[in-house]
Amino acid sequence: MAGWKIEGFWRRLALFLGALGGVTVAAWWLPLPVPYDMDFSMLYGATLGLRHGVGIYDRAGQLALLKAMLGPEALLPYFVYPPWYAWTTAFLGWLPIAVAARMWFFLSAAMIAGGVWWAQPLHRTERERIWRVALSFLWLPVVGALVVGQYAPPLLLGLGLFLRGWRRQRPGETALGLLLLTFKPHLGVFPWLAAVYLFWRERQRPFVRRALRWTLYGLAALVAVSFLVQPNWPLAYWQALGGFQAQETFGLCEYCAGTGMYLARWWTGWPRMDWAARICLGMALLLGAWLARRWRAAARWSAGEWMSFSILAALLLNPYVMNYDYLLLLLPLWLTSWPLWGIGAGLIASWLALPAGRTAVNLVAISLTWVLLFAQMRRPDETH
């Protein structure tokens, strides 16, 4: 048995290295017109800075490097993610920016596909999984995230790995999934809370205790390596968050696409972050009251049901949600018992709204989020 495990490890390692080599060749040679001057520039600026000894949160130093490369018109958003997002993707900074953008495109597509594949219940066949992975790329937020080079794909991969590890009782996969959820903390904190409850509920299982230890060891390693990369990163991170929140485009977030922000627009006439935060707090209290009232039934939810609920809560209760963050809806969507044709129609609906503009597309995603939440809220009644 031990030999079989070792053989299986080397086979998976060979497949991974072969796939990585194929992605690298494709990124260098395929003339895919992936833009590199949009959201991806933030990640590239951080990794380029690491290559040249510039701090992860030194925006001025990174912008100087980008201007030397692209010209004075180069722009750079604030890098407001944990330091391990930068140093785990540091290889991008060693590539030309156009090649790096294509590399990130392919890696993001692979993470989305992997997340959808591994999140599926164990009873689903390979053919069923392939169909669901293929249809996932019809969802407009997925396309948008790939085009601009956004940062949510590791979260979807993390959700898939966590569920796969939980179902198969593999502590390493479970822990790795949770670590990936830290890459975008303002959304990943919700499934983390769900995981904490699952760990507590199943605390007597040896697998759960091992998964918890692996998770804590992994977090300690991420933090320790980050101190080696940049010793003052906690202070620099805090200052970067402050600079980001001080921007006028944060206080009046024109591109925010959450329920709270659209209700704030309707109420005040402006996309005001302070009002969106108040509305989200009110929705959180209402959702918490419902959960407390139905707790005996909700406590019996499976890991997949808890992760679905946590993602819906993250998208509904966070005032800072962008349209590409709705790619995370793929998890609760594919874990429903809805027919395949119905889910495919829902994914395509966002494209039908596209001629009406960005607001119409966002409202489709918000509506789907609420529909999935109501379906989740009805589920406890069916367990009696």
Side-chain angles (χ1 to χ4, degrees):
M1 180 63 69
W4 181 86
K5 289 183 177 179
I6 293 174
E7 180 184 351
F9 166 78
W10 288 111
R11 182 169 60 249
R12 289 192 293 270
L13 179 61
L15 288 172
F16 171 76
L17 293 177
L20 184 61
V23 168
T24 304
V25 171
W28 272 99
W29 298 108
L30 284 183
L32 192 67
V34 178
Y36 53 77
D37 56 351
M38 301 179 74
D39 291 14
F40 172 73
S41 64
M42 177 166 60
L43 182 59
Y44 186 76
T47 59
L48 183 67
L50 286 175
R51 173 185 170 184
H52 292 277
V54 176
I56 294 173
Y57 301 104
D58 185 353
R59 181 167 174 263
Q62 295 166 9
L63 184 57
L65 292 173
L66 278 182
K67 286 185 174 181
M69 177 185 294
L70 303 176
E73 70 281 359
L75 299 175
L76 183 65
Y78 281 86
F79 184 81
V80 288
Y81 296 95
W84 44 88
Y85 208 138
W87 58 257
T88 56
T89 57
F91 61 91
L92 294 171
W94 291 86
L95 300 173
I97 188 168
V99 175
R102 292 194 290 270
M103 173 73 86
W104 185 243
F105 177 94
F106 292 128
L107 291 176
S108 296
M111 286 188 281
I112 292 169
V116 171
W117 181 280
W118 286 322
Q120 301 305 307
L122 297 179
H123 64 80
R124 286 198 175 139
T125 64
E126 287 191 0
R127 182 178 181 182
E128 291 173 324
R129 292 168 188 261
I130 290 171
W131 269 108
R132 284 160 174 76
V133 169
L135 288 174
S136 296
F137 289 94
L138 295 178
W139 183 224
L140 192 54
V142 170
V143 177
L146 291 175
V147 169
V148 303
Q150 249 295 321
Y151 314 109
L155 272 68
L156 187 59
L157 177 62
L159 289 164
L161 279 172
F162 174 84
L163 289 177
R164 172 185 165 90
W166 187 270
R167 292 165 180 151
R168 295 181 179 272
Q169 299 189 36
R170 295 177 177 175
E173 291 179 1
T174 304
L176 179 57
L178 288 175
L179 295 179
L180 285 169
L181 290 171
T182 66
F183 278 47
K184 207 168 185 179
H186 71 289
L187 295 176
V189 66
F190 290 83
W192 254 84
L193 291 173
V196 168
Y197 169 71
L198 290 169
F199 279 148
W200 178 84
R201 188 182 73 180
E202 308 291 337
R203 59 189 180 278
Q204 300 302 326
R205 297 168 61 188
F207 148 73
V208 171
R209 293 196 291 269
R210 291 196 302 271
L212 179 59
R213 287 197 298 270
W214 282 50
T215 302
L216 294 176
Y217 294 156
L219 278 175
L222 291 178
V223 172
V225 173
S226 296
F227 275 110
L228 293 176
V229 174
Q230 183 169 335
N232 71 331
W233 73 262
L235 177 61
Y237 189 15
W238 182 259
Q239 292 173 341
L241 287 173
F244 176 72
Q245 294 176 1
Q247 297 177 105
E248 183 179 352
T249 53
F250 181 83
L252 290 175
C253 188
E254 183 68 29
Y255 293 101
C256 286
T259 299
M261 188 58 75
Y262 272 96
L263 289 176
R265 289 170 184 264
W266 173 76
W267 185 258
T268 69
W270 296 92
R272 293 178 52 177
M273 181 60 69
D274 55 348
W275 274 93
R278 294 188 185 102
I279 293 169
C280 288
L281 177 60
M283 291 193 297
L285 294 174
L286 291 174
L287 190 59
W290 170 86
L291 193 61
R293 181 182 177 186
R294 304 293 182 89
W295 179 252
R296 288 182 62 185
R300 295 193 295 269
W301 286 349
S302 67
E305 289 169 331
W306 269 110
M307 286 296 129
S308 294
F309 182 77
S310 70
I311 287 301
L312 295 171
L315 295 172
L316 288 172
L317 305 182
N318 199 307
Y320 191 77
V321 171
M322 297 295 181
N323 50 12
Y324 35 71
D325 291 326
Y326 286 101
L327 72 84
L328 297 174
L329 283 181
L330 292 173
L331 178 89
L333 195 62
W334 289 126
L335 291 183
T336 65
S337 57
W338 297 351
L340 193 62
W341 66 265
I343 295 178
L347 296 175
I348 295 173
S350 58
W351 288 92
L352 300 178
L354 188 58
R358 184 177 70 247
T359 296
V361 173
N362 293 340
L363 291 178
V364 168
I366 290 172
S367 300
L368 182 57
T369 305
W370 280 102
V371 168
L372 287 165
L373 179 66
F374 287 140
Q376 179 89 24
M377 292 170 73
R378 288 183 58 196
R379 195 170 298 161
D381 294 331
E382 299 167 357
T383 62
H384 289 295

